[in-house]
Amino acid sequence: MNISELFIKKPIMTTLIMVAVVTFGGMSYFNLPISDLPSVDYPVMTISVSYPGASPATMASAIAAPLENECMEINGLQKIISDNTDGNTSITLTFDLNRSVDLVAPDLQAAISRAQG
């Protein structure tokens, strides 16, 4: 006697087993914890530069552009956002998830040093 023969000969048992499997499966599915937006901490570093009295255009061309060009060479850079205001520049760098901020810091310091020259 194989398993198929048992289910063919006893259709009521087969129906009850299928109802039980579907019921418990549905209950289990709706009790699963689901996060629509998982919390992920991207490695982010910010460069802030102050140059009192400079216009936003001067900050963008003289300070932000050289820094951005040097930062573009850092491996794992995903996104770069620059904000230039009167006398202040803020550059936010977002890196891949597999990059550690501790390992990116020396690369960023080297990029800043190259941009200063």
Side-chain angles (χ1 to χ4, degrees):
M1 173 183 244
N2 60 19
I3 196 159
S4 302
E5 186 178 345
L6 176 67
F7 285 106
I8 291 170
K9 286 185 176 182
K10 301 191 182 257
I12 295 175
M13 181 191 72
T14 303
T15 305
L16 291 175
I17 289 175
M18 288 306 299
V19 168
V21 167
V22 170
T23 302
F24 290 122
M27 288 172 32
S28 299
Y29 177 77
F30 290 112
N31 286 328
L32 285 173
I34 296 175
S35 177
D36 292 335
L37 298 172
S39 61
V40 178
D41 294 330
Y42 284 95
V44 176
M45 296 193 84
T46 302
I47 303 170
S48 296
V49 180
S50 178
Y51 187 45
S55 68
T58 303
M59 294 300 289
S61 63
I63 296 175
L67 280 170
E68 289 173 359
N69 290 337
E70 292 298 328
C71 289
M72 290 294 219
E73 297 177 10
I74 299 174
N75 291 333
L77 182 66
Q78 265 190 344
K79 183 171 48 172
I80 186 166
I81 298 171
S82 180
D83 182 33
N84 301 304
T85 59
D86 288 330
N88 291 313
T89 292
S90 176
I91 300 171
T92 304
L93 306 165
T94 305
F95 296 93
D96 291 333
L97 286 174
N98 57 1
R99 291 292 307 253
S100 171
V101 174
D102 297 330
L103 298 176
V104 172
D107 295 339
L108 184 59
Q109 186 63 41
I112 292 171
S113 297
R114 287 191 308 265
Q116 283 179 344

